Amino acid sequence: MIKIKTEPELELMKNSGEVLRETFSVLEELIRPGVMTAELDAAAEDFIRSKGGIPAFKGYQGYPATICASVNEQVVHGIPGPRSLEEGDIVGIDMGVVLEEFYSDATRTYPIGEISEEAARLIRVTSESLDQGIEQVRPGNHLSDISHAIQKHAESHGYSIVRALVGHGIGRMMHEEPQIPNFGPPGKGPELQVGMVLAIEPMVNVGTHDVLTLEDTWTFVTVDGKLSCHFEDTVAVTENGPRIMTR
Ligand code: MF3
Ligand code: CO
């Protein structure tokens, strides 16, 4: 069952999303060549707690950190540590906040200094794919209209969509129904209704869509070692269309 949120609940989710947005702003001041991903993690945790929030990922199924920091061929769930970001890298920062019992979840991918044209194009197209998906968040549309819009945009630029990982409903839990694939034909799945809240999160690869996990059991990487990119926002269905909680 897909949970429907009331207007007051959506307000709480918006507050949670606002803390998450501010956390990204804090990290954006720190992201540069030489910064360790562990430093970003510490800054994010401190800031979220200073706002009365709780890092949503820390302790989730044993995950050890506040942020996921996924570099280059890492797709998602990179564990922060002593690794320094280097000129030319791209890094996906995925974070979640719990505030007043409600979750928000978002991801941004950042360039480190000067990056290749291919990397810049990948970031642009992945971000656009998310926007195309969000555009479909309207009452009366079907869930897979989101999936289809994302896939169409990414593949029309010659990229592939990761299939092994999906977006999700979100609310009092980080992962609620429904699962939201980033590919598929339009017009399928449940009809979107006012009050549903969705974490939409395309993962787009330069090469094959196939991924595998590293020995740390968390980090997903591309099988071919080529670049991958991830963007995510928490979005509510309203009468007037999408309401993005994390922007
Ligand atoms: N955005 C990811 C998701 O929706 C974050 C969860 S990963 C974990 O699944 F680190 F929390 F486990
Ligand atoms: Co998510």
Side-chain angles (χ1 to χ4, degrees):
M1 197 203 58
I2 304 176
K3 290 210 169 69
I4 301 294
K5 279 79 179 179
T6 64
E7 189 55 39
E9 289 174 335
L10 292 180
E11 281 305 311
L12 294 177
M13 294 195 75
K14 185 83 189 169
N15 294 342
S16 178
E18 188 152 335
V19 170
L20 190 47
R21 282 198 296 116
E22 289 171 359
T23 311
F24 278 107
S25 300
V26 168
L27 297 192
E28 283 160 17
E29 297 296 315
L30 302 174
I31 292 175
R32 59 183 146 68
V35 73
M36 285 188 294
T37 54
E39 293 176 58
L40 301 177
D41 186 67
E45 178 167 8
D46 286 352
F47 182 79
I48 291 167
R49 293 194 192 282
S50 79
K51 292 291 174 177
I54 299 165
F57 298 176
K58 202 162 188 171
Y60 178 83
Q61 294 184 359
Y63 188 74
T66 293
I67 72 171
C68 301
S70 307
V71 185
N72 298 338
E73 81 287 356
Q74 296 178 349
V75 179
V76 288
H77 303 174
I79 301 172
R83 176 178 188 162
S84 294
L85 298 175
E86 289 175 17
E87 179 100 17
D89 286 342
I90 64 172
V91 62
I93 306 287
D94 187 353
M95 309 192 279
V97 164
V98 195
L99 187 75
E100 296 181 295
E101 291 178 22
F102 279 93
Y103 283 78
S104 53
D105 187 3
T107 307
R108 304 283 180 259
T109 295
Y110 298 100
I112 307 303
E114 251 334 81
I115 60 171
S116 69
E117 263 179 51
E118 180 71 283
R121 194 172 81 101
L122 178 67
I123 290 177
R124 178 176 61 77
V125 170
T126 307
S127 168
E128 289 169 354
S129 294
L130 173 58
D131 287 345
Q132 296 288 317
I134 290 172
E135 180 60 31
Q136 296 298 318
V137 176
R138 304 180 174 281
N141 275 4
H142 287 264
L143 187 71
S144 83
D145 292 335
I146 300 169
S147 317
H148 183 71
I150 289 169
Q151 179 180 24
K152 200 169 127 197
H153 190 75
E155 291 185 352
S156 74
H157 288 81
Y159 295 138
S160 69
I161 285 286
V162 172
R163 309 198 168 210
L165 296 144
V166 296
H168 50 95
I170 182 168
R172 287 181 191 275
M173 296 197 302
M174 181 156 69
H175 296 137
E176 297 185 353
E177 286 180 43
Q179 293 196 359
I180 312 171
N182 295 298
F183 61 94
K188 309 281 183 197
E191 200 172 293
L192 300 182
Q193 289 174 34
V194 171
M196 290 178 177
V197 186
L198 307 172
I200 304 172
E201 47 182 321
M203 289 144 272
V204 176
N205 293 352
V206 164
T208 172
H209 66 72
D210 284 325
V211 299
L212 58 85
T213 31
L214 298 184
E215 273 168 22
D216 66 20
T217 75
W218 281 103
T219 314
F220 282 85
V221 296
T222 57
V223 164
D224 58 14
K226 293 186 180 173
L227 288 179
S228 184
C229 184
H230 183 205
F231 278 84
E232 176 176 22
D233 276 301
T234 297
V235 185
V237 184
T238 79
E239 274 158 33
N240 306 316
R243 179 162 157 209
I244 307 175
M245 308 305 210
T246 42
R247 286 191 199 170

